[in-house]
Amino acid sequence: MFRVAVLVSGGGTNLQAIIDRVKDGSLPGVGIVRVISNNAGAYALTRAKNAGIEGVTVSPKEYETRELFNKALLRAVKEASPDLIVLAGFLVTIPPELIREYPDRIINIHPSLIPSFCGKGCYGLHVHEKALARGVKVTGATVHFVNEGLDSGPIILQKPVAVEDGDTPEILQKRVMEQAEWIILPRAIGLIAEGRVSVENGITHIAPKKQG
Ligand code: GRF
């Protein structure tokens, strides 16, 4: 089995999209082995429980220093022996030691077409507020590998979404989730699980599907 650990902080609709694709057979050989949240109240943990997936909380509040929290997070990840770590709305800065331990094995979903509307301060609804303030006509979502920079790792998949007249950040956020995030995040997991994604000089290459 290709073992996936999913890190979450909130509602977990992206987690749900992965669970649904595993269930409907779209991701053969893939299993979600653990969901880790930094927030005990995250609805994503309920989604994990409902799907029979182990959920654990590692909250910074429970640790005296950031270093101790980082160690606990790394431990919680390692215990799951993941082949891939998926950040699905995980709002915590990923400890460098985790990135070093899992090079090109951590992916993140970002709700814009990187390099637009990414980097410092660009998370959650802010991304869509900035897109609307700039007046772009197309936005979208990006799945990328996580490196030590902010939203700067190799891009795996992107999907555009139209901005419509009268959009609010909330309406646009929902459209980007439905039309892009929930589609490309499971798809990227499938491509990686099939061994089709390689990285060369910061650029990913996606090999065609093997025949037969
Ligand atoms: C999504 O918009 C994702 O792009 C961003 O955080 C949000 C998480 O939503 N990184 P959910 O918890 O998956 O519903």
Side-chain angles (χ1 to χ4, degrees):
M1 181 173 70
F2 186 83
R3 301 171 64 84
V4 176
V6 184
L7 275 53
V8 296
S9 298
T13 61
N14 279 287
L15 167 67
Q16 190 65 54
I18 306 166
I19 292 172
D20 292 347
R21 295 292 79 74
V22 169
K23 266 198 193 143
D24 73 11
S26 308
L27 297 173
V30 171
I32 306 171
V33 289
R34 178 176 268 196
V35 170
I36 302 170
S37 174
N38 62 307
N39 158 21
Y43 187 67
L45 288 171
T46 306
R47 294 181 191 272
K49 195 166 174 237
N50 291 344
I53 301 163
E54 179 196 31
V56 299
T57 302
V58 184
S59 164
K61 289 183 203 148
E62 287 162 27
Y63 298 90
E64 258 174 45
T65 65
R66 197 67 187 183
E67 224 168 57
L68 288 172
F69 164 73
N70 285 352
K71 280 204 176 118
L73 183 63
L74 183 60
R75 211 163 37 237
V77 169
K78 274 186 162 180
E79 278 167 10
S81 308
D83 296 303
L84 182 69
I85 299 159
V86 177
L87 311 182
F90 189 57
L91 296 176
V92 169
T93 306
I94 298 300
E97 49 266 51
L98 186 62
I99 297 169
R100 281 194 291 269
E101 184 93 22
Y102 294 95
D104 295 337
R105 284 203 287 154
I106 309 177
I107 64 171
N108 180 49
I109 177 84
H110 183 79
S112 74
L113 295 174
I114 289 176
S116 288
F117 314 115
C118 64
K120 204 170 182 296
C122 278
Y123 60 91
L125 219 46
H126 298 304
V127 179
H128 306 292
E129 283 164 4
K130 286 177 203 277
L132 290 175
R134 184 61 187 86
V136 292
K137 302 301 179 196
V138 176
T139 183
T142 302
V143 182
H144 63 92
F145 283 113
V146 174
N147 61 14
E148 292 195 32
L150 195 53
D151 297 329
S152 62
I155 290 169
I156 304 165
L157 291 178
Q158 294 189 297
K159 193 167 188 295
V161 173
V163 178
E164 289 172 15
D165 247 14
D167 272 353
T168 62
E170 290 80 6
I171 291 171
L172 186 56
Q173 179 181 52
K174 185 155 182 278
R175 189 180 310 118
V176 168
M177 283 180 157
E178 287 171 356
Q179 296 185 5
E181 295 184 40
W182 301 342
I183 298 166
I184 62 173
L185 186 57
R187 190 176 288 161
I189 294 170
L191 290 169
I192 295 168
E194 288 171 27
R196 292 170 57 194
V197 181
S198 57
V199 185
E200 201 185 338
N201 300 324
I203 307 288
T204 66
H205 300 280
I206 300 179
K209 200 172 171 60
K210 289 183 196 97
Q211 297 299 317

